Amino acid sequence: MPLSNRRFNHKIKHALEARETQGLYRQRACLSRAEQSVYHQGESLLNFSSNDYLGLAQDPTILSAWQEGLTLFGAGSGASPLVTGFHSAHKTLEDQLADWLGYDRALLFNSGFSANQAVLFTIPDKHDVLIQDKLNHASLMEAGLLSPATMRRFAHNDLSALTRLLHQTNDKSPSINPLVITEGVFSMDGDLSPLANISEQCSQHDAWLMVDDAHGCGVLGDKGRGSCDLAGVKADILIVTFGKAFGLSGAAVMCNNDTAEYLIQFARHFIYSTSMPPSQAHALSAACRLIQSDDWRREKLHDLGRLLFERVESSIQLIDTHTPIKPLIIGDSHKALSVSNTLKAKGLWVSAIRPPTVPVNSARLRITLTAAHTEQDIKRLATTLNEVINDE
């Protein structure tokens, strides 16, 4: 065996052993799903780890729309959007999103990860500055590190720290373009960004505001328009993803006409990627309609969240949030994994989230509620949590 191969094998083996020793080893679980439950190794478990917040992933209307899309448009798009991959179903969805969310344009991507990277690799240049919340998603952080622009970070939701960075940027050179980036809802804590205050700071310092609203769109705001609508602001760039409340996958960048055209001309993630299947876009259009019409789904999420918080004992560190994301802080990674496994043994699927996804000593159970859950499901979760956490 060549020496280089032995060295790589040793490096990989050592890294895996270290991760397992630290209690941070990740493993995939092969599941099947039905309504609010998952099936694992022949057992049915009530699922509290899904981002399908509105319960649309298995809604008959969405399933029927995707099947109809397959009949109308076939299985795949066939090419990138600038070759022959931009179909009528894509155009319909883009126009629908732009009208609903109040933007000139929407551009479709295959994932939120690629949408975020397309923007941050394309719009800022080496003379510009990206100012990011420290708890932004990995796609935003990685894009910021690899972007030609200079990246600065501010403490989570710390307006004073953000203001200082904006002042420093403006004082350094008036020709620098600052782009402030935050999430509408932070995925591991379920808390909201102070978007109204951040937007005001951006206006005062001539900075653009970009909001990744992956976990807010569909859940918050009037007719599910999301975090910005709830805060009464309009971001210069809004990222909407379809893998959460929409119940499918993919993403869109919401922006003005010139920005959309700029991305079409220069964003490599857009230019060189095969378009999402038009059948999927057709299903997403159906999801978009249901999100706007079915206020009961958001109302139910709110009621279920209240019920859970009322039923879980006050000594348990369950964080009350305005979103379907309900973190239960454990701290130690080994203990968080142990609690998660105990819950699985009792028929509840609740994932343990450990570093590096969350900061060291903040391992947690990330409990997520969906409109597919019932009150009985929530009562069972609360009762089991009270038993398991108190026994640890």
Side-chain angles (χ1 to χ4, degrees), residues 221-378:
D222 183 44
K223 301 299 179 184
R225 290 187 179 91
S227 302
C228 290
D229 181 81
L230 182 67
V233 304
K234 182 176 180 180
D236 297 281
I237 297 175
L238 177 67
I239 307 297
V240 176
T241 66
F242 307 136
K244 282 77 178 177
F246 280 76
L248 292 106
S249 64
V253 175
M254 314 301 302
C255 55
N256 62 30
N257 276 313
D258 285 347
T259 303
E261 288 302 315
Y262 189 84
L263 291 170
I264 289 170
Q265 300 305 316
F266 299 108
R268 297 171 69 86
H269 289 71
F270 184 84
I271 296 167
Y272 298 111
S273 291
T274 300
S275 298
M276 71 167 61
S279 57
Q280 180 180 333
H282 189 69
L284 283 165
S285 287
C288 190
R289 290 191 293 271
L290 284 183
I291 288 172
Q292 295 175 71
S293 64
D294 289 0
D295 288 325
W296 67 265
R297 297 178 189 269
R298 286 176 286 277
E299 293 166 0
K300 185 177 181 182
L301 276 176
H302 177 269
D303 293 342
L304 293 179
R306 287 285 89 221
L307 179 62
L308 177 64
F309 198 71
E310 290 167 1
R311 291 278 180 147
V312 169
E313 294 178 4
S314 58
S315 60
I316 295 174
Q317 294 187 57
L318 179 69
I319 299 176
D320 192 17
T321 69
H322 295 288
T323 69
I325 303 166
K326 310 294 183 184
L328 196 162
I329 306 301
I330 303 292
D332 179 75
S333 294
H334 291 281
K335 184 176 179 180
L337 190 59
S338 174
V339 171
S340 176
N341 288 334
T342 301
L343 289 171
K344 287 174 185 175
K346 293 179 177 293
L348 302 178
W349 190 278
V350 183
S351 296
I353 308 296
R354 296 159 288 162
T357 304
V358 294
V360 175
N361 298 322
S362 70
R364 67 200 58 192
L365 302 180
R366 182 181 181 270
I367 300 167
T368 52
L369 310 183
T370 81
H373 287 124
T374 66
E375 289 189 0
Q376 285 305 116
D377 295 334
I378 302 304

Side-chain angles (χ1 to χ4, degrees), residues 117 121 141-149:
Q117 296 211 334
F121 287 167
M141 287 303 175
E142 180 182 79
L145 290 170
L146 298 176
S147 167

